[in-house]
Amino acid sequence: NKKTKELIAVACAHITQCPYCIEGHTKNAKKAGASPEEIAEAIYVSVAMKAGSSMAHSCIAMAALEE
């Protein structure tokens, strides 16, 4: 549904750090019926995903130390 798609877009916009997308999709999510709590939860998921990429890429640093 529209609300779910916009919440996913809010999370993606935060991962890509596009201020225009963040603003637009947040407004669209609100118009589609998303609550402030649901929007915040989508943002928190993006925070976890973005931090996860740092952890996943840490193997590159560890491998470089072994060279």
Side-chain angles (χ1 to χ4, degrees):
N1 66 28
K2 178 76 171 164
K3 181 176 94 169
T4 301
K5 290 177 183 176
E6 286 300 335
L7 288 169
I8 291 168
V10 167
C12 292
H14 280 79
I15 290 171
T16 60
Q17 300 174 331
C18 174
Y20 306 106
C21 296
I22 290 170
E23 181 178 356
H25 288 296
T26 300
K27 288 178 179 179
N28 288 344
K30 182 180 176 183
K31 286 178 192 172
S35 68
E37 293 81 10
E38 290 172 313
I39 292 169
E41 184 177 7
I43 294 167
Y44 295 150
V45 169
S46 74
V47 169
M49 294 302 296
K50 188 71 171 174
S53 67
S54 295
M55 184 62 155
H57 286 87
S58 68
C59 62
I60 297 168
M62 296 300 105
L65 291 173
E66 295 176 6
E67 292 178 3

